Amino acid sequence: MADDRPRSILFVCTGNIFRSLVAEWALRAQLGPERRYVVGSAGIQAERQSLHSVVRARLLEKGVDPAPHIQRKLTEDLLADAGLIVAMGEDHRLHLAREFGRQSVLFNDAAGLSSDPILDLHEALPNWQQDLRAAQAYVESVVDHIWDATPSLIARLPQICP
């Protein structure tokens, strides 16, 4: 007998207000009414922060309003239900293995693109506060990258999250 329960996909980043949030909302939007997958996200720190206006604006341009997003901190309970854990960075993969004994795949690997992590703003531009235009351009490029890579991720889901 086939197991018809939805598979759970959990995206993990640091604060759950940028990379994992974008991946969650991009996958939800592009899956459409597909009910085979339950999609969520969490942050390894998830300290109380607001969704940045640049992230929200870029997702709105793509037809998705992430305003209902509720920032979540990664917990054992969230991981217990996850059939596929997708980390945005190497530090998240290490945290998942060290703190929870769980394996994960990087987003770009899951999408079949590369083994490169998706860097947070401060990792890509350590002095981002000194060049807010470059910071905005980087954030928008990350949103675009995740959005554009999502169809490749969807195509690979039957193999990586059967």
Side-chain angles (χ1 to χ4, degrees):
M1 180 163 86
D3 184 358
D4 292 332
R5 290 179 298 168
R7 305 296 188 254
S8 178
I9 301 166
L10 183 67
F11 295 102
V12 177
C13 73
T14 304
N16 192 219
I17 58 165
F18 178 25
R19 296 166 293 167
S20 64
L21 167 143
V22 170
E24 174 187 358
W25 286 86
L27 183 56
R28 282 184 181 183
Q30 293 182 48
L31 278 173
E34 173 73 48
R35 298 291 178 231
R36 183 167 180 212
Y37 301 101
V38 174
V39 183
S41 64
I44 62 173
Q45 293 174 359
E47 297 168 2
R48 206 84 172 135
Q49 299 175 60
S50 300
L51 174 61
H52 196 281
S53 61
V54 174
V55 173
R56 183 167 187 249
R58 198 59 161 200
L59 285 173
L60 284 169
E61 289 174 12
K62 297 183 181 307
V64 174
D65 185 357
H69 177 75
I70 297 172
Q71 184 183 27
R72 297 191 302 178
K73 183 169 178 148
L74 185 64
T75 65
E76 188 66 54
D77 287 343
L78 289 175
L79 289 168
D81 293 332
L84 175 64
I85 304 166
V86 180
M88 304 314 277
E90 282 295 340
D91 54 334
H92 310 123
R93 289 186 72 201
L94 291 171
H95 181 85
L96 285 157
R98 185 179 56 245
E99 298 297 320
F100 297 99
R102 295 297 300 267
Q103 297 300 309
S104 60
V105 61
L106 288 174
F107 179 87
N108 284 326
D109 275 335
L113 302 176
S114 72
S115 58
D116 296 329
I118 298 177
L119 300 178
D120 204 350
L121 175 60
H122 72 276
E123 295 169 316
L125 301 171
N127 298 316
W128 65 269
Q129 295 99 335
Q130 295 171 1
D131 190 348
L132 294 180
R133 283 189 185 159
Q136 179 174 342
Y138 179 75
V139 169
E140 291 173 345
S141 75
V142 168
V143 173
D144 292 346
H145 171 75
I146 292 170
W147 190 271
D148 294 345
T150 297
S152 297
L153 174 63
I154 291 169
R156 293 174 46 91
L157 284 177
Q159 290 82 39
I160 62 176
C161 189

